[in-house]
Amino acid sequence: MADSAQQDLTAVRSIAATSVTHVGDASGNGKHLDSVSVFDVKSSSRKDKKKEKQLRKEKEAEEAAKTNHQRELDQDAAINPAPFAFKPYQLAHMLDPKNIDTLTSFGGISGVLRGLGTHVELGLSSPTLHRTTTGASQNSRKSQSGAGEGASHRHDTEKADIDVPAITVTEPHGAISVPASVDNPSVYTAPLVDRRRVYGENVLPQRASKSLLQLMWLAMKDKVLILLSIAAVVSLALGLFQDFGTPRTSNEPPVDWVEGVAIVIAILIVVVVGSINDWQKERQFRTLNEKKEERGVKVIRDGAEKVVDIKEVVVGDIALLEPGEIVPCDGIFLSGHNVKCDESGATGESDAIKKLTYEETLQIYETAKQEGKDPHGSHTDCFVVSGSKVLEGVGKYVVVAVGTKSFNGRIMMALRGDTENTPLQLKLNNLAELIAKLGSTAGLLLFTALMIRFFVQLGRGQPVRNASENGIAFVNILIIAVTLVVVAVPEGLPLAVTLALAFATKRMTYERLLVRVLGSCETMANASVICTDKTGTLTQNVMTVVAGSIGIHAKFVRQLDENGARTNAEESEKERKHRQDFSIDQAQLNTVLSPELRDLLNEAIAVNSTAFEDIDPESNETIFVGSKTETALLQFAKELRWKNFRKTRDGAEIIQMIPFSSERKAMGVVIRLPNGSFRLYAKGASEILSKLCKTHVVVHRDGAFPDSGIETQPIDELAQENISRTIIFYANQTLRTIALCYRDFESWPPHGMEHDEQNEVPYEQLANDLTLIGITGIEDPLREGVREAVTKCHRAGVTVKMCTGDNVLTARSIATQCGIFTPGGIIMEGPVFRKLEQSERVEIVQRLQVLARSSPEDKKVLVETLKSLGEIVGVTGDGTNDGPALKTANVGFSMGIAGTEVAKEASDIILMDDNFSSIVKAIMWGRCVNDAVRKFLQFQISTNVTAVIITFVSAVASEQEESVLSAVQLLWINIIMDTFAALALATDPASEKLLERKPDKKTAPLFSVDMYKMILMQSVYQTIVILVFHFRAVNFLFPNSTDSQEDQKIVKTLVFNAFVFAQIFNSINCRRLDNKLNIFEGIFRNRYFIAITLIEIAVQIIIVFVGGAAFQVTRMHGREWGISLALGVVSIPWGAVIRCMPNGPFEKLFNAFGLLGRKEVLPTTKPDTEGWGGAITLVRDNLSTFANVRGGRLRASSFVVKSRSARLKDEEKTSLPLHSVLTMAPTLMASAVAAGQAYGQAGSLSDPAHADPSRSSAALWEGKVQLHPGTSPEDPAYQRFGGENKT
């Protein structure tokens, strides 16, 4: 050990020495600089730089390769723990993972207490609490950054004014030896500031919230906005030049600059609305967490109990544990009574963990090791983990890690990271790039065409222009080319996205969904898989009595109408053995129970219990606290409005308590009755207690009961068979069955029974000749609406997978009840899943519906595998252990009520009511956002395509390079119309109809065939109408006119009016994205749309009547108004015609131009054949029998579900060399001979389900998978798992 210490110290000193020597060498070389040439100095400095660069790279690579534990221990190296004996992460790593050997190496609990300067009974003492910081501790505080004297082992720590304990040395096997100086007196008087310096404060550093300006800057980085910003600058610059740098006619107002300003305003609206929305959501989330953080913690200081703020707790404090408390820090259990913690929120361990002292835990571990058992199997330890919940009992523990060093804190810090772009953002970015390229190309083409004509005009000298006029003509050409690019950019697109998200998130808040990450809202639109927790999400996380029997005949069921399958009293008359059995709804029990029997049952529940009522600090509701079984029974009595449990309990005179014991699986209490006799109430495992009963209470179907007393009957063979049958029936539904019994005694202690000095009689003697009151079936019931929500998910094409730490039978029961486990589905256990190779996992995850006994890592792996297959995955979680999976998923849902802080931090959306049904609302609103953006794009792109074409054609056709639409007219169409359309189309409310389609793949194009068809055909119609009227309207509207200039103005106004009305009516047309004809569906539910459409029509009318010179329009007569309105309205019937057109020809056309993206090609070979020759693939597929030959199979765990029928291409088959097949023959023959007749015999113990794993649970216990019983024999999965061995 000494040698080890010496080596470690040498290693530390050598590191320090290296740096000192380096400096020394440098100074030494300085003396000889004059004799060294400048060239040598330069070359050596270059070499030094190269070396430094190389060393830096190596150091970075080394750092990247380190695990989190190693990095944390590196941080420890820079901390001077004086006067304490331990460094912070030495203590923290003792709990992650839990390691009793490390605690032993510290000298056990007494060594830890001495090293931290605290006392098991007194806690921290007065000198520690009140002493001010001395010069020494001032030095300590200064050195917390790791620099300066006393900061680390690189400096002479002995110079400090305080005594420093010997260095803690790590032994070769990783354990840490007992500190040499544990009785250092200064450790007991160290001030709190020193404890905080060494071990940190019990707070997590708040994530630096981005300011509003930072959020605005981030919003500006969007590619569409960057494109718009460039367009705005160019447009504004050219607009200002055109208005103030060139001569204008007197009646032409300088309004060209307005276009650029309007684009800037559009950008500002988008940035401000988006960033304010993000800022508000962040504040809302922080407020939610701050409420949870404000609580007191009971600690012992100076020998007295005190309540201190959670942030004031320090390492060394002796903290108290009470039922219902969420543990605030990591610690080691010191003492207490029957403390059990639910660590499922922190570690995923679903069973309650009993807390024992260090000595007791050590004894259990050593005994287990000697017997060759798993020491963790007993579910007992002495470690108190932050984030876990105290279920029952009271006790105390010493705090060893707080804040960022605690288990909870370290996970929280690890989860902080930036979000990735959503699928819609990526597609819109690609669209922005495409529009920029196409717009620039169109602008360049126009510029080139106009420049060719400009040079031709120069050469001809027609028209006659001087140099200045030629310059202006050139600038005009540049302006119209830039205008074309600006027209191509969809200014309203970012606004449409922002408004749709803002509108949806506001509505989602009313639906009890807090959206933390705005983008997650639209990501949910195309979520294809949801991996959900069971406890608390699908179920209520409250154990509840859901079925049972009073006596042996009255079979009650909670909500009997919905759960008729939960009673075994409804057999056909011919088969009925137990004719007196009857079913009754749980809520109607009072109608058949006598008052005496009601009081008896109530007393059996209330008195024989340690649970109690308390106020839930989060919901402020009165809840029962204690064992889940006991709280379920108390709730059962409360729902039936029986006498208050507290009055019943207080009114009972208790003679003897018999606590619950795992050996006898029962608990009991003896009370004195008012008549002077005594009664034992027993409660426990039904299969054990029912065998100790000789009689049972009787309940009649008609509610008849004796005038006094309780009617009982002896348990005969038929009754015993009924009891056993009922227990098995409930057990098959994975209900926890609890029997309630009693026995009366005339005197106490009873005659002939042994008793001690306190007159207490052994349970074994009391628990005989009991009377059975009833059997209750307890489970965590489904939340209301879960079945319907899962059905809606399936209808929407979203697969629901359940991941739970519970056992496989409970998981299967819940999955079946809520409709997750369906024909073709597979159940698997976590330990089996994690052993699969990646290729096997890829094949099975699509059909996997239930993953039982799964760890947080299994859940994360499942999510990663699904994402690798292109699925968009949503994950629900409430515990600290769910953090990694929530962060990995495309969208993470955490629970607002039951969720831990870690889960909320890792999630994107918080379910404020913890209800799975809310996820369906998230999908609905996500699709609403996606549809809003697509509706807007369908409208916007058709407008822009038309505007670009008519601008291009009219500019090329006009000798003055004039467009059909003036700059101000384009402003109204491009900006106001776009903004209004964005607001109108982005505010369509979500409806259930959105769930009637499948989600889009991540790789699916932004535009569908229907959308492209609508954009193309509407653009064709609008372009033809506008160009025909622009060039020929004067001829057929005013054939005999003399005032051609006025006629031309009227035609220009008519064209402008027709174009605007075509857009207004096309916006109504764009409310649908599919081929259905009813475009007015739900229009009256969107008041914004109606209002905006009316405003647009009103403003257009005003522009025509009073716009005059600004808009270059003139007043029109009724005929022109009628024509322009008619041309606009035609957009609606034309839209119906377009929808009726077949998609086939259009799809071919769009595919030819590559508009629909590349089609996904399914792999023709299985992923798990990579690296294998073609011969084995061919042989293995054709001789599939060998895949199931036990002992001689080629690859037993190759789960071929999706691509079982994959075959080699024909050309590969023909080119397969014969010798490659022959090389396999010896192996295959050896396999067949070795296997012999090792096929599972149907009906044998190894195959009780006749080789069909869908019929039995046996397959699960053999590490196999289980198929749903309703799976079709033609299903590939059935053939793989159920059909190939069938005889």
Side-chain angles (χ1 to χ4, degrees), residues 344 347-351 379 532-535 802-812 828-831 834 850-856 858-859 878 881-882:
S344 59
T347 65
E349 174 62 63
S350 56
D351 289 313
H379 298 302
T532 177
D533 262 358
K534 176 183 73 71
T535 310
M802 186 169 87
C803 305
T804 176
D806 251 338
N807 71 70
V808 73
L809 295 175
T810 304
R812 183 175 64 179
M828 187 179 270
E829 287 192 309
R834 72 182 75 119
V850 178
L851 188 61
R853 285 181 58 215
S854 60
S855 69
D858 294 335
K859 198 171 179 179
D878 57 359
N881 59 311
D882 292 318

Side-chain angles (χ1 to χ4, degrees), residues 103 138 197 213 234 337 366 417 425 529 607 614 927 978 1001 1018 1048 1063 1068 1110:
L103 179 53
Q138 290 276 4
R197 171 184 63 80
L213 288 173
V234 173
H337 173 68
E366 284 172 354
Q425 283 171 330
V529 179
V607 180
D614 200 2
R927 291 188 177 187
D978 289 354
K1001 283 276 186 190
Q1018 285 287 359
Q1048 199 66 43
Q1063 306 319 313
I1068 299 170

Side-chain angles (χ1 to χ4, degrees), residues 538-549:
L538 296 172
T539 63
Q540 296 173 16
N541 198 17
V542 179
M543 292 303 277
T544 308
V545 176
V546 294
S549 71

Side-chain angles (χ1 to χ4, degrees), residues 157-336:
T157 52
E158 288 80 5
K159 289 179 184 176
D161 297 336
I162 53 177
D163 296 326
V164 181
I167 294 167
T168 304
V169 182
T170 306
E171 294 176 359
H173 55 73
I176 298 163
S177 63
V178 183
S181 175
V182 288
D183 289 324
N184 177 10
S186 63
V187 75
Y188 291 97
T189 56
L192 290 182
V193 70
D194 269 7
R195 291 185 185 273
R196 294 195 178 106
R197 171 184 63 80
V198 175
Y199 299 108
E201 295 185 61
N202 193 30
V203 289
L204 293 177
Q206 281 195 347
R207 181 189 284 200
S209 288
K210 292 182 176 68
S211 66
L212 200 55
L213 288 173
Q214 285 174 314
L215 288 168
M216 286 178 177
W217 176 245
L218 284 172
M220 275 300 297
K221 290 183 179 177
D222 181 80
K223 282 188 178 177
V224 182
L225 287 181
I226 291 169
L227 187 62
L228 273 179
S229 303
I230 294 165
V233 170
V234 173
S235 180
L236 189 59
L238 291 176
L240 289 170
F241 172 76
Q242 214 169 359
D243 284 341
F244 307 109
T246 57
R248 307 179 73 86
T249 56
S250 57
N251 64 344
E252 196 179 352
V255 288
D256 289 322
W257 58 272
V258 177
E259 171 86 6
V261 169
I263 298 175
V264 170
I265 290 167
I267 293 166
L268 284 174
I269 290 170
V270 170
V271 169
V272 170
V273 170
S275 49
I276 285 178
N277 213 328
D278 280 340
W279 186 63
Q280 283 178 334
K281 292 285 170 279
E282 186 63 28
R283 281 182 63 198
Q284 212 171 341
F285 173 67
R286 284 180 66 178
T287 308
L288 185 76
N289 271 351
E290 279 166 9
K291 283 179 187 172
K292 288 198 79 171
E293 287 170 10
E294 293 167 7
R295 64 184 178 104
V297 177
K298 280 187 182 177
V299 297
I300 297 175
R301 290 183 177 176
D302 277 338
E305 277 188 28
K306 294 179 181 176
V307 177
V308 299
D309 189 272
I310 190 169
K311 295 169 186 172
E312 297 298 317
V313 179
V314 293
V315 169
D317 259 323
I318 305 298
L320 303 182
L321 295 168
E322 292 180 345
E325 183 191 10
I326 304 292
V327 179
C329 324
D330 292 346
I332 302 165
F333 188 71
L334 297 172
S335 63

Side-chain angles (χ1 to χ4, degrees), residues 85 108 263 294 329 336 401 405 452 586 628 632 675 731 768 834 1163 1189 1263:
I263 298 175
E294 293 167 7
C329 324
K405 314 274 192 315
I452 290 169
Q586 191 169 306
K628 290 182 179 180
N675 62 9
N768 286 300
R834 72 182 75 119
V1189 177

Side-chain angles (χ1 to χ4, degrees), residues 768-783:
N768 286 300
D769 300 332
L770 301 174
T771 300
L772 179 68
I773 305 171
I775 294 169
T776 57
I778 297 172
E779 78 165 1
D780 186 1
L782 288 183
R783 281 181 173 276

